[in-house]
Amino acid sequence: MTESREVTTDHAAAPGHGRVGPKRQERGQRRMAQIVSAAAEVFAESSYEAATTNAIAKRAGISPGSLYQFFANKDEIARALAERYVAELGVAQAKALDLEKLRTASLEETLAAVIAPLIEFNLANRGFKALFARPDMPPSLTEAVAPLHATLTERVKALLAMRFPQLAGDALDRTVTVAIQIVRAMMPLIVAAEEGPERDALVAELHRALHAYLSDVVR
Amino acid sequence: MTESREVTTDHAAAPGHGRVGPKRQERGQRRMAQIVSAAAEVFAESSYEAATTNAIAKRAGISPGSLYQFFANKDEIARALAERYVAELGVAQAKALDLEKLRTASLEETLAAVIAPLIEFNLANRGFKALFARPDMPPSLTEAVAPLHATLTERVKALLAMRFPQLAGDALDRTVTVAIQIVRAMMPLIVAAEEGPERDALVAELHRALHAYLSDVVR
DNA sequence: TGAGAATACGAGTAGTCGCTCGTGTTTGTC
DNA sequence: GACAAACACGAGCGACTACTCGTATTCTCA
């Protein structure tokens, strides 16, 4: 009898990720994108835990079995979604942020330039908060979205280091952490608020809080 | 044949809650307290969803069946725990807060008087954040802890209204919300930090952020 | 002291969820 | 056209979880 180990569904991972898997055809790559998009929608409607893999498959228009042709498990889907978010956020910020111009901008202007695209991104990608704006994540998820957090932290750190050269070391790290926490805390409120004066007021409040905090840090 | 409706386990609720149930003996009341304490521990070690009712029962030293003699379902346990937290927080704050003295205190002093017992409480009751410091709760839990949120919001609102008479209406509400969000965002970090300089630095940062924000609000 | 109420037990039930597996179809390659 | 690899299906498995039920014990109080 021919032993058939290694014959069970072996999954691919995003390129450049160490994992090996079947060579994806164009159809397969489209499917993977579909699945990630569907996951983003389902996560957005509840939470990571509450989202079922069967629901994701259904939303993507495929069977549960097909889903597992492309992702080894639920965490891998979250990881792929986190990677997509990192990439898209990079694009959105690159568009809005011109570091050279910011060098001479006021703190208000800098904050506006950073926050505005971030809010747009959160509004356009409501699944984002399921992976980002949570204080208590299941360990597996924490690992999956660690690169996302690391990336954002790095970007904020670079910005603050440029803006406040007198900040360094632990103090800088703490300031970055607190600033991110404030944004994370306010974002769900902003996204949940109805478009118009209500949301605008909350955004203004976020500006105010961040501006006041950062002004004080270097006082 | 004698129909036996209403004979299945009928549960009690905390007194003054509308629900009727069996008359609790002293033993039963002790059990209920045990269960709530056990739930607090188990919630603290993971999260509300991840905590299983069987684990709570085991921690309380009773069988799953016994647990359901006292609580109709998992949500009721969370509700009871939330009520306990409201009561204990009330005591802790009443001890530390003397509204008359605060009337003449500086903003720094007021913040210190409010924040210090809050942090002590969070350190002593690590299950608290499972019910409080979460942006996205399951709907049932939301309802269960709504009184807790309402209570805290009311207290903060009263304090801010006294402190900043020029604030009123929506602006006051928003300020209360943001202040609470900042505390909620920082608390998990503070609790997770190791005792000593690391935690102290984060607490100082929380002070700074709140102080800066509130000073700015009335600027 | 005895009857009914409250408390206690824990194996068991129904339901859910992540994931598998046997099987069939499409696509790329020669 | 033949063959393998990739893609697709969906019933259903195994593990887990909130909760139940039949039964046994302890308490209360007339």
Side-chain angles (χ1 to χ4, degrees):
Chain A
M1 341 179 144
T2 51
E3 269 269 338
S4 68
R5 287 171 46 75
E6 305 280 327
V7 174
T8 48
T9 49
D10 45 357
H11 333 81
H17 239 288
R19 301 287 209 80
V20 287
K23 294 234 165 86
R24 295 293 168 207
Q25 317 179 175
E26 231 183 289
R27 179 172 45 144
Q29 295 188 9
R30 272 200 309 273
R31 275 273 181 267
M32 291 181 79
Q34 272 175 36
I35 293 168
V36 171
S37 298
E41 289 178 29
V42 179
F43 290 163
E45 287 164 15
S46 45
S47 68
Y48 175 76
E49 295 97 330
T52 72
T53 53
N54 284 10
I56 295 172
K58 194 169 192 176
R59 182 70 63 106
I62 62 175
S63 75
S66 293
L67 189 155
Y68 284 92
Q69 294 270 347
F70 299 101
F71 296 97
N73 51 49
K74 200 177 166 183
D75 286 347
E76 288 297 324
I77 303 175
R79 191 189 308 275
L81 180 57
E83 277 172 26
R84 175 192 283 190
Y85 281 150
V86 166
E88 290 185 5
L89 248 183
V91 172
Q93 288 190 334
K95 265 190 206 163
L97 257 67
D98 184 334
L99 279 193
E100 284 312 310
K101 276 185 185 164
L102 285 185
R103 207 177 286 275
T104 57
S106 67
L107 179 54
E108 280 92 346
E109 290 168 336
T110 306
L111 284 178
V114 174
I115 292 176
L118 199 57
I119 290 176
E120 293 236 357
F121 183 83
N122 271 273
L123 288 172
N125 302 277
R126 308 235 171 180
F128 184 67
K129 72 173 198 323
L131 297 188
F132 179 66
R134 301 195 45 183
D136 61 333
M137 298 209 180
S140 57
L141 227 192
T142 306
E143 194 199 341
V145 301
L148 199 166
H149 278 92
T151 303
L152 289 178
T153 304
E154 270 318 302
R155 286 185 194 157
V156 174
K157 191 171 175 179
L159 210 76
L160 288 186
M162 187 190 83
R163 186 85 229 172
F164 306 114
Q166 64 272 52
L167 266 185
D170 286 354
L172 175 57
D173 287 337
R174 262 196 307 275
T175 307
V176 170
T177 303
V178 173
I180 290 183
Q181 284 299 107
I182 291 176
V183 175
R184 292 207 328 175
M186 289 298 296
M187 203 54 79
L189 264 54
I190 291 172
V191 171
E194 68 171 310
E195 193 179 355
E198 192 184 332
R199 180 178 297 159
D200 294 345
L202 285 172
V203 173
E205 222 63 20
L206 172 57
H207 272 97
R208 202 209 299 272
L210 271 182
H211 182 263
Y213 170 66
L214 291 176
S215 300
D216 189 276
V217 158
V218 294
R219 200 191 39 189
Chain B
M1 2 183 123
T2 51
E3 269 269 337
S4 68
R5 288 173 46 75
E6 307 279 325
V7 174
T8 48
T9 49
D10 45 357
H11 334 80
H17 238 287
R19 301 283 210 84
V20 287
K23 294 234 165 88
R24 295 294 168 206
Q25 325 184 207
E26 232 183 289
R27 180 173 44 142
Q29 293 188 10
R30 273 199 308 274
R31 274 274 180 268
M32 292 180 78
Q34 273 176 34
I35 293 168
V36 171
S37 298
E41 290 177 29
V42 179
F43 289 163
E45 287 164 15
S46 45
S47 67
Y48 175 76
E49 295 98 330
T52 73
T53 54
N54 285 9
I56 295 172
K58 194 170 194 175
R59 182 70 63 106
I62 62 175
S63 75
S66 293
L67 189 155
Y68 284 93
Q69 294 270 347
F70 299 102
F71 296 97
N73 51 50
K74 202 177 165 184
D75 287 348
E76 288 297 322
I77 303 175
R79 192 191 306 276
L81 179 57
E83 277 173 24
R84 175 193 282 190
Y85 282 149
V86 167
E88 291 184 4
L89 247 184
V91 172
Q93 288 189 336
K95 264 190 206 163
L97 258 66
D98 184 334
L99 278 193
E100 285 313 310
K101 277 184 185 163
L102 285 186
R103 206 177 288 274
T104 57
S106 68
L107 180 54
E108 279 93 345
E109 290 167 337
T110 306
L111 284 179
V114 174
I115 292 175
L118 198 58
I119 289 176
E120 293 237 356
F121 183 82
N122 272 273
L123 288 173
N125 302 277
R126 307 233 171 182
F128 184 68
K129 74 172 195 326
L131 297 188
F132 179 66
R134 303 194 45 184
D136 61 333
M137 299 209 179
S140 59
L141 229 191
T142 306
E143 194 199 341
V145 301
L148 199 166
H149 279 92
T151 304
L152 290 177
T153 303
E154 270 317 303
R155 286 185 195 157
V156 173
K157 190 172 175 178
L159 209 77
L160 289 185
M162 187 190 84
R163 186 84 229 173
F164 305 114
Q166 64 271 52
L167 265 184
D170 286 353
L172 174 58
D173 287 337
R174 262 196 308 274
T175 306
V176 170
T177 302
V178 174
I180 290 183
Q181 284 298 106
I182 290 176
V183 174
R184 294 210 324 177
M186 290 298 296
M187 202 55 78
L189 264 55
I190 291 172
V191 171
E194 68 171 311
E195 193 179 354
E198 191 184 333
R199 181 178 296 158
D200 295 344
L202 285 172
V203 173
E205 221 63 21
L206 171 57
H207 271 98
R208 203 209 299 271
L210 272 182
H211 182 264
Y213 171 66
L214 292 176
S215 300
D216 190 276
V217 158
V218 294
R219 200 188 40 189

